[in-house]
């Protein structure tokens, strides 16, 4: 975990000053600690007092208590999480491009890794959140992205998907990329054998995890008059029988197949379509898969790189494919898994 780089504020701590002030800036938050020799002090964040000590042993002890309080605050607000930092890149490879990222639930989401990377490369990013409950997790992330469009989108709610694309049409008049990073299967369908899956569970799984990508492609097409790139997230369980992946593997196989048909149909218009297939990542969706830890251990042990992937790895590779340099790559299922899929 990165720590704030505290510096003494000489303007306050000049000769004869009794209290001493330390300042630091982290992810746009202005931190100030002021301490007195008799062990009193306070911590201010963005000018607001958030912690105070009155009975520390001395100045040094007061500082160390307040320093801890500052770190706790940063962790709680997510501001100190390296994974939530938008990476700084010099090359604005996607400047002037505008895209929609669907599927951010929190700062562990693959969609967040993608949104950060697209933004870091200079693109403007619109984001959606599932419902009011999700909004409070997504809104601070949308602020980090400076997203001009932040809208609710539950694909089961009639009209919400259309409303998002309408807004993009009104605001931007075009769309350069779309990241579809959503999937859902009811517990009873996901946790049972494929052979036992009921019709409802099957249809819901296919509807949310596959058909919505086809529908988003349909809505994106008229906005991609000068071409664009459509992405969806898949998994190796579409190709191989992966323990506990069950009906989701069937849905991902359909999704990857849809990618190829969409790529063929939209290719003449300069619209490229890809499935991104990351190795296992500990996200909220993944927590619905039994024995997921075992899957992570196996992935790390078997992959040639001997490493797990991060949402940042997935993000930058996805963003690369949206660059014009990748204009003749389409219809792919791109594995971002440290090479896991090539090993027997
Ligand atoms: N985590 C992994 O190991 C892994 C590996 C490969 C592929 N994937 C795929 O990546 C994608 C993103 O998942 P994640 O792992 O980042 O988990 P996540 O929980 O962060 O994201 C899943 C998203 O799906 C959204 N969603 C579910 N039902 C929805 C609905 N009705 N309307 C709109 N949105 C809905 C959720 O709100 C959430 O934002 C999924 O397609 C998943 O299958 C995940």
């Amino acid at each position: 975990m990165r720590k704030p780089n505290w510096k003494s504020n000489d303007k306050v701590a000049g000769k004869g000053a009794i209290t001493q002030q330390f300042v630091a800036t982290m992810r746009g938050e202005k931190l100030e600690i002021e301490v007195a020799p008799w062990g009193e002090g306070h911590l201010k964040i963005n000018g607001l007092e958030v912690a105070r000590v009155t009975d520390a042993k001395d100045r040094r002890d007061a500082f160390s208590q307040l320093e801890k309080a500052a770190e706790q605050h940063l962790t709680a607000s997510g501001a100190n999480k390296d994974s939530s930092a938008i990476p700084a890149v010099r090359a604005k490879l996607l400047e002037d491009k505008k895209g929609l990222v669907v599927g951010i639930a929190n700062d562990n989401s693959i969609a967040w890794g993608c949104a950060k990377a697209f933004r870091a490369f200079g693109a403007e990013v619109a984001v959606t959140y599932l419902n009011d409950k999700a909004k409070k997790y997504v809104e601070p992330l949308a602020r980090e992205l400076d997203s001009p469009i932040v809208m609710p989108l539950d694909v089961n709610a009639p009209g919400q998907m259309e409303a998002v694309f309408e807004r993009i049409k009104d605001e931007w008049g075009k769309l350069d990329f779309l990241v579809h990073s959503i999937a859902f299967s009811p517990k009873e369908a996901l946790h049972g054998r494929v052979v036992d899956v009921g019709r409802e569970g099957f249809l819901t799984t296919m509807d949310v995890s596959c058909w919505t990508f086809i529908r988003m492609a349909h809505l994106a097409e008229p906005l991609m008059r000068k071409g664009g790139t459509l992405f969806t997230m898949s998994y190796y369980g579409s190709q191989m029988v992966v323990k506990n992946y069950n009906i989701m593997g069937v849905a991902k196989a359909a999704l990857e197949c849809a990618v190829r048909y969409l790529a063929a149909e939209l290719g003449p218009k300069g619209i490229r379509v890809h499935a991104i297939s990351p190795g296992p990542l500990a996200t909220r969706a993944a927590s619905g898969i039994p024995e997921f830890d075992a899957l992570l251990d196996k992935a790390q042990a078997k992959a040639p790189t001997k490493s797990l992937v991060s949402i940042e790895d997935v993000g930058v590779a996805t963003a690369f494919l949206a660059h014009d340099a990748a204009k003749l790559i389409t219809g792919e299922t791109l594995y971002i898994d440290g090479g896991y899929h090539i090993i027997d």
Side-chain angles (χ1 to χ4, degrees), residues 23-328:
V23 290
T25 310
M26 189 130 184
R27 299 255 168 279
E29 306 237 46
K30 200 172 152 237
L31 316 172
E32 290 167 47
I33 288 179
E34 209 163 297
V35 279
W38 51 89
E40 267 182 25
H42 62 249
L43 162 71
K44 281 186 183 173
I45 296 185
N46 299 325
L48 289 176
E49 189 178 296
V50 296
R52 169 174 281 273
V53 289
T54 50
D55 56 356
K57 274 200 309 254
D58 52 22
R59 190 201 305 271
R60 185 188 290 260
D61 184 34
F63 178 83
S64 107
Q65 288 186 32
L66 292 165
E67 184 184 32
K68 232 176 249 153
E71 281 165 24
Q72 271 162 8
H73 168 87
L74 290 167
T75 306
S77 70
N80 196 27
K81 248 183 149 177
D82 284 346
S83 71
S84 91
I86 294 183
V89 289
R90 292 224 177 90
K92 294 286 183 195
L93 297 170
L94 298 178
E95 196 134 54
D96 299 328
K97 296 219 188 281
K98 299 182 194 303
L100 169 64
V101 175
V102 178
I104 302 178
N106 52 44
D107 64 359
N108 295 318
S109 295
I110 293 171
W112 170 236
C114 292
K116 278 195 293 182
F118 278 101
R119 183 69 188 137
F121 286 139
E124 269 195 90
V125 181
V127 299
T128 64
Y129 52 89
L130 179 63
N131 50 29
D132 279 348
K133 216 169 131 198
K135 190 176 177 185
K136 62 173 177 292
Y137 301 105
V138 178
E139 261 184 352
L141 302 177
R143 273 199 295 278
E144 277 193 56
L145 298 168
D146 308 310
S147 294
I149 300 173
V150 184
M151 288 181 75
L153 174 53
D154 178 340
V155 294
N156 295 322
Q160 281 197 352
M161 209 196 286
E162 288 74 12
V164 171
F165 284 86
E166 254 326 288
R167 171 87 185 275
I168 287 171
K169 183 178 160 205
D170 292 346
E171 198 128 330
W172 287 340
K174 70 156 189 172
L175 189 68
D176 296 300
F177 59 89
L178 162 77
V179 177
H180 169 279
S181 186
I182 68 173
F184 177 76
S185 182
K187 216 177 189 167
E188 62 284 5
L190 184 64
H191 288 187
R193 301 186 308 169
V194 171
V195 72
D196 300 325
V197 162
R199 187 160 188 262
E200 276 305 305
F202 175 79
L203 291 178
T204 303
T205 308
M206 290 295 274
D207 181 23
V208 176
S209 313
C210 180
W211 180 78
T212 57
F213 180 58
I214 297 176
R215 180 54 31 173
M216 284 187 205
H218 171 85
L219 294 169
E221 181 184 2
L223 296 173
M224 293 186 161
R225 281 185 305 276
K226 292 187 179 162
T229 321
L230 306 170
F231 299 99
T232 186
M233 293 296 152
S234 192
Y235 179 61
Y236 183 65
S238 62
Q239 302 297 311
M240 292 291 168
V241 175
V242 174
K243 191 177 168 205
N244 294 318
Y245 205 58
N246 305 341
I247 195 63
M248 192 52 86
V250 178
K252 294 299 192 192
L255 183 66
E256 289 175 17
C257 187
V259 162
R260 290 187 286 274
Y261 277 88
L262 295 175
E265 290 165 2
L266 300 175
K269 296 186 170 176
I271 301 174
R272 295 172 287 125
V273 192
H274 294 294
I276 303 294
S277 187
L281 285 142
T283 62
R284 225 192 39 216
S287 67
I289 297 170
E291 300 173 62
F292 192 73
D293 285 350
L295 208 65
L296 288 172
D297 292 343
K298 188 176 168 192
Q300 182 155 18
K302 188 175 135 182
T305 57
K306 300 293 168 217
S307 57
L308 292 171
V309 297
S310 68
I311 59 168
E312 289 75 19
D313 294 324
V314 179
V316 286
T318 304
F320 154 72
L321 286 170
H323 189 262
D324 296 343
K327 67 177 184 300
L328 292 184

